[in-house]
Amino acid sequence: MIIDSSQDGPQAGLSALAHSDHRVPDPGAVEAEFAGADGALVQRRWVEAAVAVRFEQLAPVAPFPVVPGRRWGPGWWWSATTGRHVMHGSQAMCTQLMLLDRDPQVVGLSARPVRLIWRDPDSGRVLTWVPQVFARYADGGALLADCPASREIAGDRAARAAAVLEAACAAVGFTYRRLVPPDAVVAANVRWLAGYRHPRYRDAGGLQQAVLEAFAAPRSLMAGAAAAGEVLTTLPVVYHALWSGRLTADLARPLGEHTLASAGRPDTDEDRDGTEQEREQHAR
């Protein structure tokens, strides 16, 4: 009998584990199930699939359910990192996709691309878990993650699955985490900046260089925007630069006209935005 221990049950919304005493199977005994090129499900040993399969390019291995009575249902996040849409099943997951999308080290994102299958050493039952998010990093590493809606302590099913996934990911150089919700102010600020994540705002009106020069030394957002040109025209470029990291500010405080910002990492031709033409096509 296969017991699906996915996060869609009552244990959804549980925080990351500091440690676990649960016994876990050898990573070599863990199986991975994912959708092949023709859409049919493929099952391989996890340690082999993790090396050979580009999970960031796969469709979800399981659909996101629509739960009656919930105010939030499945949706799509347009990723500035990949230029493609990534499906999400909850507001908490959408928020984590947004934060990962802003991480300059992340080069690929996908939703529920793999189901891990193993035999529980204690009960002998075959269990499964479908992590909600997969992120590929620039150095080739990867993150499998779940996106709980609260910081509450994980229940037994989630704890057992987390222990197995932590061990399985560590065996192949990946990381598994349960991503706790960010501070409300940080989330609100990043959500605002995400509205300007599209590359069309990067050099709108040819103002990118003027904006970066205006914030060569720390100054308020409104003062810097005014110094770079007409405020209504320069502000979208400022917000995109804050999203991409070319400008930095303290996002733990409410973002406003008096927020101090300054030049962040150097701008290069090979930054995380990629080519503008390709992103424009995917966003349409």
Side-chain angles (χ1 to χ4, degrees):
M1 178 174 62
I2 295 179
I3 307 297
D4 188 349
S5 303
S6 71
Q7 62 279 356
D8 295 325
Q11 298 300 331
L14 303 171
S15 61
L17 299 174
H19 64 277
S20 174
D21 295 327
H22 295 295
R23 291 203 302 152
V24 301
D26 184 279
V30 177
E31 296 285 311
E33 187 178 53
F34 51 91
D38 60 356
L41 292 180
V42 178
Q43 188 167 321
R44 295 180 61 180
R45 294 175 64 222
W46 162 251
V47 293
E48 297 173 353
V51 175
V53 179
R54 306 300 295 183
F55 291 116
E56 65 270 32
Q57 299 175 359
L58 299 186
V61 72
F64 289 97
V66 177
V67 181
R70 284 189 182 177
R71 298 179 60 186
W72 188 277
W76 296 91
W77 172 262
W78 185 81
S79 168
T81 297
T82 66
R84 298 189 297 270
H85 285 90
V86 182
M87 196 171 187
H88 58 78
S90 67
Q91 186 172 16
M93 182 179 174
C94 184
T95 297
Q96 297 297 346
L97 284 173
M98 175 181 70
L99 296 175
L100 288 167
D101 199 19
R102 188 171 180 259
D103 185 341
Q105 297 304 312
V106 172
V107 296
L109 283 170
S110 63
R112 303 187 92 178
V114 60
R115 173 183 287 109
L116 273 68
I117 307 169
W118 69 94
R119 187 174 295 278
D120 182 65
D122 296 320
S123 66
R125 295 183 300 173
V126 175
L127 305 179
T128 76
W129 191 269
V130 183
Q132 290 175 295
V133 173
F134 179 88
R136 179 75 67 180
Y137 292 109
D139 63 3
L143 169 74
L144 278 175
D146 286 309
C147 309
S150 74
R151 295 173 177 267
E152 296 176 9
I153 297 174
D156 185 66
R157 287 197 308 163
R160 287 181 180 274
V164 173
L165 268 66
E166 285 173 0
C169 284
V172 296
F174 290 2
T175 301
Y176 170 77
R177 286 173 17 201
R178 291 177 64 80
L179 302 173
V180 298
D183 176 81
V185 173
V186 172
N189 285 337
V190 176
R191 191 172 295 112
W192 173 265
L193 297 178
Y196 298 88
R197 68 189 182 278
H198 196 280
R200 68 168 65 95
Y201 296 111
R202 178 183 176 185
D203 194 24
L207 292 169
Q208 176 185 210
Q209 191 58 39
V211 164
L212 296 178
E213 290 175 355
F215 289 95
R219 65 196 310 177
S220 71
L221 286 184
M222 194 59 67
E230 200 279 320
V231 171
L232 292 180
T233 304
T234 58
L235 273 177
V237 183
V238 171
Y239 291 142
H240 180 83
L242 284 169
W243 163 266
S244 64
R246 288 190 297 277
L247 293 181
T248 61
D250 182 5
L251 298 184
R253 297 184 177 185
L255 197 63
E257 60 180 309
H258 300 298
T259 298
L260 291 180
S262 61
R265 62 182 179 82
D267 188 30
T268 69
D269 292 336
E270 300 297 329
D271 72 8
R272 69 192 302 276
D273 285 329
T275 64
E276 292 191 13
Q277 291 183 346
E278 180 180 357
R279 301 299 170 82
E280 289 279 358
Q281 292 174 355
H282 282 302
R284 289 170 187 162

